[in-house]
Amino acid sequence: MVMDFHGSAVMQSYGKMEEDTVPTILWGLDPMHGVFAKLYIKDILELKNSGPIPGVFFYKTHPITKVDILGTIVQKREREKFFSFGVDDGTGVISCLWWKRRRLMEGAKPAASSPFGLNLLEQLNRITQLESRNSQLELGDVIQVRGWLKDYRDQREINSTSVSKVVDPVFAAQISRMLELPYLYRTFYDQTFQRPTDSTDANEQGVQTLSLQRNIKQFLNQNGVKNFYQRELETIDSLVCIAQQDRASPCLQHHPLQTSQEPPSSACVSKQIHEVFQDAVCVLQEEGVIFQKVAGPSELYLVTDEEKELHRMTLGIIRDDSMRPKHVDKGCPFLHILRCVRHSYCAGVSEATVQRVLDKLECDSEIVSTMDRHYTAS
């Protein structure tokens, strides 16, 4: 069985790819630059070469160096130093190199056990045996390959760092990959990389907001706060101290050269502090940590983890609807749960809030995620 599904979003012509690529200095800021990207082989073969730096390719605005594929071996060759596998996932075929390791451990003296009770020689021998088994792959085997991308003689190939055979008689791994990839494309790969601003002031404000946001989250968790108004947070000295950094704060010692300068007015400082708190609260809302039943800057904020009514209602929806014929096999889809929560609890509750509730319920073993954002009662 091979995967033959390809999301419509990734079938777009590469002639329409954005030419305004990200500057080299910013590549490392894109999370996709350092991960094994799960892409269709068709898209891997069509990735745009970065040009000046070998081994870096672009999917739209995202720099790609490593990939993770799942497919069937349709070609196999053995050379003196490596194996070459042709892997097909239903969208294309790519060559994967698997280098043979030298058996350096032969004839080595037994090593003493480490302080943690591990025999290093024994562990290395196990790795060697595992590599040997991985090299005994045949045509028709389903394998998962991770490795670095490169072009060799105008041919795209994967320099494998990990090759593992998938023993899966019911095709669960392939079905899971088929469901996972469209979600990854829609949520991450097809989203444009947002470049950071060049403004130093904006960067400093962003770091300050992030620090305040983390401390607010910690404060809410440690004190078991169930709800609050923003103006109440602005009375907490430890939080105000963070918001006042680099804003003529009495919490920070002034530089001697600044003693002769006239400090800004208290009204100006208060307004700036309020804005920092407002930004931090907005970030917490986007993460689903807090939410509002009635939208507005002065309305009450509810802490998602402490809002037990929302948890009970969400769990009840899943328990009832997962028993219905159309959901009994796969479980309730996320969007169905979201619609029901908005109808029964609050029309303005965000996707991030509901997702956080589902994650908490799953962590507490109340529900189980069965596949791509489908949930059923445990």
Side-chain angles (χ1 to χ4, degrees), residues 331-357:
C332 298
F334 174 80
L335 292 179
H336 170 78
I337 299 171
L338 178 64
R339 285 194 298 269
C340 292
V341 170
R342 286 176 172 174
H343 175 75
S344 303
Y345 179 79
C346 172
V349 65
S350 67
E351 291 188 22
T353 300
V354 174
Q355 185 64 62
R356 186 176 180 90
V357 171

PDB file of all heavy atoms in Angstrom, residues 331-357:
ATOM      1  N   GLY A 331     -13.783   8.978  16.411  1.00  0.00           N
ATOM      2  CA  GLY A 331     -13.880   9.938  17.489  1.00  0.00           C
ATOM      3  C   GLY A 331     -14.408  11.278  16.979  1.00  0.00           C
ATOM      4  O   GLY A 331     -14.605  11.469  15.776  1.00  0.00           O
ATOM      5  N   CYS A 332     -14.629  12.203  17.889  1.00  0.00           N
ATOM      6  CA  CYS A 332     -15.182  13.509  17.519  1.00  0.00           C
ATOM      7  C   CYS A 332     -14.087  14.407  16.945  1.00  0.00           C
ATOM      8  O   CYS A 332     -13.047  14.602  17.580  1.00  0.00           O
ATOM      9  CB  CYS A 332     -15.788  14.192  18.744  1.00  0.00           C
ATOM     10  SG  CYS A 332     -17.153  13.296  19.488  1.00  0.00           S
ATOM     11  N   PRO A 333     -14.293  14.994  15.771  1.00  0.00           N
ATOM     12  CA  PRO A 333     -13.293  15.919  15.220  1.00  0.00           C
ATOM     13  C   PRO A 333     -13.247  17.207  16.028  1.00  0.00           C
ATOM     14  O   PRO A 333     -14.232  17.625  16.634  1.00  0.00           O
ATOM     15  CB  PRO A 333     -13.782  16.159  13.788  1.00  0.00           C
ATOM     16  CG  PRO A 333     -15.240  15.843  13.819  1.00  0.00           C
ATOM     17  CD  PRO A 333     -15.426  14.781  14.856  1.00  0.00           C
ATOM     18  N   PHE A 334     -12.097  17.849  15.993  1.00  0.00           N
ATOM     19  CA  PHE A 334     -11.886  19.057  16.791  1.00  0.00           C
ATOM     20  C   PHE A 334     -12.902  20.143  16.455  1.00  0.00           C
ATOM     21  O   PHE A 334     -13.451  20.792  17.353  1.00  0.00           O
ATOM     22  CB  PHE A 334     -10.461  19.576  16.578  1.00  0.00           C
ATOM     23  CG  PHE A 334     -10.201  20.897  17.243  1.00  0.00           C
ATOM     24  CD1 PHE A 334      -9.924  20.975  18.595  1.00  0.00           C
ATOM     25  CD2 PHE A 334     -10.250  22.089  16.512  1.00  0.00           C
ATOM     26  CE1 PHE A 334      -9.690  22.193  19.204  1.00  0.00           C
ATOM     27  CE2 PHE A 334     -10.024  23.304  17.118  1.00  0.00           C
ATOM     28  CZ  PHE A 334      -9.738  23.363  18.473  1.00  0.00           C
ATOM     29  N   LEU A 335     -13.138  20.379  15.168  1.00  0.00           N
ATOM     30  CA  LEU A 335     -14.042  21.459  14.783  1.00  0.00           C
ATOM     31  C   LEU A 335     -15.467  21.199  15.278  1.00  0.00           C
ATOM     32  O   LEU A 335     -16.196  22.142  15.615  1.00  0.00           O
ATOM     33  CB  LEU A 335     -14.030  21.629  13.261  1.00  0.00           C
ATOM     34  CG  LEU A 335     -12.726  22.165  12.672  1.00  0.00           C
ATOM     35  CD1 LEU A 335     -12.824  22.275  11.157  1.00  0.00           C
ATOM     36  CD2 LEU A 335     -12.359  23.511  13.277  1.00  0.00           C
ATOM     37  N   HIS A 336     -15.870  19.925  15.341  1.00  0.00           N
ATOM     38  CA  HIS A 336     -17.192  19.595  15.878  1.00  0.00           C
ATOM     39  C   HIS A 336     -17.246  19.940  17.367  1.00  0.00           C
ATOM     40  O   HIS A 336     -18.236  20.526  17.850  1.00  0.00           O
ATOM     41  CB  HIS A 336     -17.482  18.104  15.660  1.00  0.00           C
ATOM     42  CG  HIS A 336     -18.699  17.618  16.394  1.00  0.00           C
ATOM     43  ND1 HIS A 336     -19.976  17.867  15.939  1.00  0.00           N
ATOM     44  CD2 HIS A 336     -18.827  16.919  17.557  1.00  0.00           C
ATOM     45  CE1 HIS A 336     -20.845  17.328  16.776  1.00  0.00           C
ATOM     46  NE2 HIS A 336     -20.176  16.747  17.764  1.00  0.00           N
ATOM     47  N   ILE A 337     -16.192  19.581  18.104  1.00  0.00           N
ATOM     48  CA  ILE A 337     -16.142  19.892  19.532  1.00  0.00           C
ATOM     49  C   ILE A 337     -16.159  21.399  19.748  1.00  0.00           C
ATOM     50  O   ILE A 337     -16.862  21.915  20.622  1.00  0.00           O
ATOM     51  CB  ILE A 337     -14.879  19.273  20.162  1.00  0.00           C
ATOM     52  CG1 ILE A 337     -14.898  17.751  20.014  1.00  0.00           C
ATOM     53  CG2 ILE A 337     -14.750  19.666  21.629  1.00  0.00           C
ATOM     54  CD1 ILE A 337     -13.602  17.081  20.416  1.00  0.00           C
ATOM     55  N   LEU A 338     -15.399  22.129  18.920  1.00  0.00           N
ATOM     56  CA  LEU A 338     -15.351  23.579  19.035  1.00  0.00           C
ATOM     57  C   LEU A 338     -16.725  24.200  18.819  1.00  0.00           C
ATOM     58  O   LEU A 338     -17.150  25.083  19.586  1.00  0.00           O
ATOM     59  CB  LEU A 338     -14.345  24.134  18.027  1.00  0.00           C
ATOM     60  CG  LEU A 338     -14.195  25.655  17.973  1.00  0.00           C
ATOM     61  CD1 LEU A 338     -13.653  26.185  19.286  1.00  0.00           C
ATOM     62  CD2 LEU A 338     -13.290  26.071  16.816  1.00  0.00           C
ATOM     63  N   ARG A 339     -17.430  23.748  17.799  1.00  0.00           N
ATOM     64  CA  ARG A 339     -18.772  24.289  17.532  1.00  0.00           C
ATOM     65  C   ARG A 339     -19.718  24.023  18.705  1.00  0.00           C
ATOM     66  O   ARG A 339     -20.494  24.907  19.109  1.00  0.00           O
ATOM     67  CB  ARG A 339     -19.338  23.674  16.255  1.00  0.00           C
ATOM     68  CG  ARG A 339     -18.725  24.216  14.973  1.00  0.00           C
ATOM     69  CD  ARG A 339     -19.549  23.826  13.768  1.00  0.00           C
ATOM     70  NE  ARG A 339     -19.600  22.371  13.598  1.00  0.00           N
ATOM     71  CZ  ARG A 339     -18.755  21.672  12.871  1.00  0.00           C
ATOM     72  NH1 ARG A 339     -17.766  22.286  12.235  1.00  0.00           N
ATOM     73  NH2 ARG A 339     -18.868  20.356  12.764  1.00  0.00           N
ATOM     74  N   CYS A 340     -19.657  22.827  19.261  1.00  0.00           N
ATOM     75  CA  CYS A 340     -20.537  22.480  20.376  1.00  0.00           C
ATOM     76  C   CYS A 340     -20.220  23.303  21.620  1.00  0.00           C
ATOM     77  O   CYS A 340     -21.129  23.747  22.329  1.00  0.00           O
ATOM     78  CB  CYS A 340     -20.422  20.987  20.686  1.00  0.00           C
ATOM     79  SG  CYS A 340     -21.075  19.901  19.397  1.00  0.00           S
ATOM     80  N   VAL A 341     -18.934  23.507  21.889  1.00  0.00           N
ATOM     81  CA  VAL A 341     -18.534  24.313  23.049  1.00  0.00           C
ATOM     82  C   VAL A 341     -19.002  25.749  22.876  1.00  0.00           C
ATOM     83  O   VAL A 341     -19.529  26.364  23.818  1.00  0.00           O
ATOM     84  CB  VAL A 341     -17.000  24.246  23.245  1.00  0.00           C
ATOM     85  CG1 VAL A 341     -16.558  25.270  24.282  1.00  0.00           C
ATOM     86  CG2 VAL A 341     -16.574  22.849  23.672  1.00  0.00           C
ATOM     87  N   ARG A 342     -18.830  26.291  21.690  1.00  0.00           N
ATOM     88  CA  ARG A 342     -19.275  27.666  21.447  1.00  0.00           C
ATOM     89  C   ARG A 342     -20.789  27.794  21.552  1.00  0.00           C
ATOM     90  O   ARG A 342     -21.296  28.826  21.988  1.00  0.00           O
ATOM     91  CB  ARG A 342     -18.796  28.118  20.067  1.00  0.00           C
ATOM     92  CG  ARG A 342     -17.304  28.424  20.020  1.00  0.00           C
ATOM     93  CD  ARG A 342     -16.841  28.782  18.620  1.00  0.00           C
ATOM     94  NE  ARG A 342     -15.453  29.264  18.613  1.00  0.00           N
ATOM     95  CZ  ARG A 342     -14.761  29.542  17.526  1.00  0.00           C
ATOM     96  NH1 ARG A 342     -15.330  29.410  16.319  1.00  0.00           N
ATOM     97  NH2 ARG A 342     -13.516  29.977  17.605  1.00  0.00           N
ATOM     98  N   HIS A 343     -21.494  26.767  21.169  1.00  0.00           N
ATOM     99  CA  HIS A 343     -22.958  26.806  21.240  1.00  0.00           C
ATOM    100  C   HIS A 343     -23.445  26.662  22.676  1.00  0.00           C
ATOM    101  O   HIS A 343     -24.387  27.362  23.097  1.00  0.00           O
ATOM    102  CB  HIS A 343     -23.548  25.702  20.372  1.00  0.00           C
ATOM    103  CG  HIS A 343     -25.049  25.596  20.475  1.00  0.00           C
ATOM    104  ND1 HIS A 343     -25.892  26.501  19.866  1.00  0.00           N
ATOM    105  CD2 HIS A 343     -25.840  24.697  21.124  1.00  0.00           C
ATOM    106  CE1 HIS A 343     -27.144  26.172  20.128  1.00  0.00           C
ATOM    107  NE2 HIS A 343     -27.145  25.081  20.889  1.00  0.00           N
ATOM    108  N   SER A 344     -22.818  25.783  23.446  1.00  0.00           N
ATOM    109  CA  SER A 344     -23.325  25.463  24.778  1.00  0.00           C
ATOM    110  C   SER A 344     -22.708  26.306  25.884  1.00  0.00           C
ATOM    111  O   SER A 344     -23.329  26.509  26.926  1.00  0.00           O
ATOM    112  CB  SER A 344     -23.078  23.975  25.087  1.00  0.00           C
ATOM    113  OG  SER A 344     -23.663  23.151  24.112  1.00  0.00           O
ATOM    114  N   TYR A 345     -21.469  26.774  25.683  1.00  0.00           N
ATOM    115  CA  TYR A 345     -20.772  27.468  26.772  1.00  0.00           C
ATOM    116  C   TYR A 345     -20.587  28.955  26.493  1.00  0.00           C
ATOM    117  O   TYR A 345     -21.056  29.805  27.238  1.00  0.00           O
ATOM    118  CB  TYR A 345     -19.414  26.803  27.005  1.00  0.00           C
ATOM    119  CG  TYR A 345     -18.600  27.462  28.088  1.00  0.00           C
ATOM    120  CD1 TYR A 345     -18.873  27.213  29.431  1.00  0.00           C
ATOM    121  CD2 TYR A 345     -17.556  28.328  27.784  1.00  0.00           C
ATOM    122  CE1 TYR A 345     -18.126  27.824  30.436  1.00  0.00           C
ATOM    123  CE2 TYR A 345     -16.801  28.948  28.770  1.00  0.00           C
ATOM    124  CZ  TYR A 345     -17.101  28.685  30.096  1.00  0.00           C
ATOM    125  OH  TYR A 345     -16.372  29.297  31.083  1.00  0.00           O
ATOM    126  N   CYS A 346     -19.872  29.268  25.398  1.00  0.00           N
ATOM    127  CA  CYS A 346     -19.572  30.664  25.097  1.00  0.00           C
ATOM    128  C   CYS A 346     -19.226  30.794  23.626  1.00  0.00           C
ATOM    129  O   CYS A 346     -18.352  30.071  23.123  1.00  0.00           O
ATOM    130  CB  CYS A 346     -18.416  31.154  25.967  1.00  0.00           C
ATOM    131  SG  CYS A 346     -17.798  32.795  25.523  1.00  0.00           S
ATOM    132  N   ALA A 347     -19.889  31.706  22.941  1.00  0.00           N
ATOM    133  CA  ALA A 347     -19.682  31.850  21.497  1.00  0.00           C
ATOM    134  C   ALA A 347     -18.298  32.392  21.161  1.00  0.00           C
ATOM    135  O   ALA A 347     -17.795  32.180  20.058  1.00  0.00           O
ATOM    136  CB  ALA A 347     -20.749  32.768  20.906  1.00  0.00           C
ATOM    137  N   GLY A 348     -17.643  33.073  22.095  1.00  0.00           N
ATOM    138  CA  GLY A 348     -16.372  33.706  21.798  1.00  0.00           C
ATOM    139  C   GLY A 348     -15.147  32.911  22.206  1.00  0.00           C
ATOM    140  O   GLY A 348     -14.032  33.404  22.079  1.00  0.00           O
ATOM    141  N   VAL A 349     -15.314  31.682  22.696  1.00  0.00           N
ATOM    142  CA  VAL A 349     -14.168  30.903  23.138  1.00  0.00           C
ATOM    143  C   VAL A 349     -13.299  30.556  21.923  1.00  0.00           C
ATOM    144  O   VAL A 349     -13.797  30.212  20.857  1.00  0.00           O
ATOM    145  CB  VAL A 349     -14.616  29.624  23.876  1.00  0.00           C
ATOM    146  CG1 VAL A 349     -15.345  28.678  22.959  1.00  0.00           C
ATOM    147  CG2 VAL A 349     -13.439  28.931  24.533  1.00  0.00           C
ATOM    148  N   SER A 350     -11.985  30.686  22.065  1.00  0.00           N
ATOM    149  CA  SER A 350     -11.072  30.520  20.936  1.00  0.00           C
ATOM    150  C   SER A 350     -10.690  29.061  20.729  1.00  0.00           C
ATOM    151  O   SER A 350     -10.873  28.217  21.614  1.00  0.00           O
ATOM    152  CB  SER A 350      -9.804  31.345  21.154  1.00  0.00           C
ATOM    153  OG  SER A 350      -9.051  30.818  22.238  1.00  0.00           O
ATOM    154  N   GLU A 351     -10.125  28.777  19.539  1.00  0.00           N
ATOM    155  CA  GLU A 351      -9.640  27.432  19.241  1.00  0.00           C
ATOM    156  C   GLU A 351      -8.516  27.047  20.198  1.00  0.00           C
ATOM    157  O   GLU A 351      -8.437  25.903  20.644  1.00  0.00           O
ATOM    158  CB  GLU A 351      -9.137  27.354  17.797  1.00  0.00           C
ATOM    159  CG  GLU A 351     -10.230  27.468  16.747  1.00  0.00           C
ATOM    160  CD  GLU A 351      -9.695  27.186  15.349  1.00  0.00           C
ATOM    161  OE1 GLU A 351      -8.647  26.514  15.241  1.00  0.00           O
ATOM    162  OE2 GLU A 351     -10.317  27.637  14.372  1.00  0.00           O
ATOM    163  N   ALA A 352      -7.625  28.005  20.497  1.00  0.00           N
ATOM    164  CA  ALA A 352      -6.504  27.716  21.389  1.00  0.00           C
ATOM    165  C   ALA A 352      -6.981  27.326  22.782  1.00  0.00           C
ATOM    166  O   ALA A 352      -6.407  26.437  23.428  1.00  0.00           O
ATOM    167  CB  ALA A 352      -5.578  28.926  21.464  1.00  0.00           C
ATOM    168  N   THR A 353      -8.055  27.974  23.246  1.00  0.00           N
ATOM    169  CA  THR A 353      -8.604  27.652  24.562  1.00  0.00           C
ATOM    170  C   THR A 353      -9.164  26.236  24.590  1.00  0.00           C
ATOM    171  O   THR A 353      -8.893  25.459  25.514  1.00  0.00           O
ATOM    172  CB  THR A 353      -9.694  28.662  24.943  1.00  0.00           C
ATOM    173  OG1 THR A 353      -9.140  29.979  24.989  1.00  0.00           O
ATOM    174  CG2 THR A 353     -10.305  28.329  26.290  1.00  0.00           C
ATOM    175  N   VAL A 354      -9.943  25.884  23.585  1.00  0.00           N
ATOM    176  CA  VAL A 354     -10.525  24.531  23.527  1.00  0.00           C
ATOM    177  C   VAL A 354      -9.419  23.492  23.387  1.00  0.00           C
ATOM    178  O   VAL A 354      -9.474  22.416  24.001  1.00  0.00           O
ATOM    179  CB  VAL A 354     -11.532  24.430  22.364  1.00  0.00           C
ATOM    180  CG1 VAL A 354     -12.036  23.003  22.212  1.00  0.00           C
ATOM    181  CG2 VAL A 354     -12.696  25.391  22.590  1.00  0.00           C
ATOM    182  N   GLN A 355      -8.397  23.794  22.587  1.00  0.00           N
ATOM    183  CA  GLN A 355      -7.293  22.851  22.430  1.00  0.00           C
ATOM    184  C   GLN A 355      -6.567  22.639  23.753  1.00  0.00           C
ATOM    185  O   GLN A 355      -6.167  21.515  24.076  1.00  0.00           O
ATOM    186  CB  GLN A 355      -6.313  23.360  21.375  1.00  0.00           C
ATOM    187  CG  GLN A 355      -5.191  22.385  21.050  1.00  0.00           C
ATOM    188  CD  GLN A 355      -5.696  21.099  20.438  1.00  0.00           C
ATOM    189  OE1 GLN A 355      -6.293  21.108  19.363  1.00  0.00           O
ATOM    190  NE2 GLN A 355      -5.478  19.988  21.121  1.00  0.00           N
ATOM    191  N   ARG A 356      -6.402  23.699  24.530  1.00  0.00           N
ATOM    192  CA  ARG A 356      -5.744  23.568  25.834  1.00  0.00           C
ATOM    193  C   ARG A 356      -6.582  22.700  26.768  1.00  0.00           C
ATOM    194  O   ARG A 356      -6.046  21.875  27.520  1.00  0.00           O
ATOM    195  CB  ARG A 356      -5.506  24.947  26.449  1.00  0.00           C
ATOM    196  CG  ARG A 356      -4.686  24.913  27.735  1.00  0.00           C
ATOM    197  CD  ARG A 356      -4.404  26.306  28.257  1.00  0.00           C
ATOM    198  NE  ARG A 356      -3.615  26.273  29.483  1.00  0.00           N
ATOM    199  CZ  ARG A 356      -2.290  26.283  29.516  1.00  0.00           C
ATOM    200  NH1 ARG A 356      -1.595  26.328  28.401  1.00  0.00           N
ATOM    201  NH2 ARG A 356      -1.642  26.260  30.676  1.00  0.00           N
ATOM    202  N   VAL A 357      -7.901  22.859  26.723  1.00  0.00           N
ATOM    203  CA  VAL A 357      -8.789  22.023  27.543  1.00  0.00           C
ATOM    204  C   VAL A 357      -8.666  20.556  27.126  1.00  0.00           C
ATOM    205  O   VAL A 357      -8.575  19.655  27.970  1.00  0.00           O
ATOM    206  CB  VAL A 357     -10.249  22.499  27.411  1.00  0.00           C
ATOM    207  CG1 VAL A 357     -11.196  21.515  28.083  1.00  0.00           C
ATOM    208  CG2 VAL A 357     -10.410  23.885  28.031  1.00  0.00           C
TER     209      VAL A 357
END
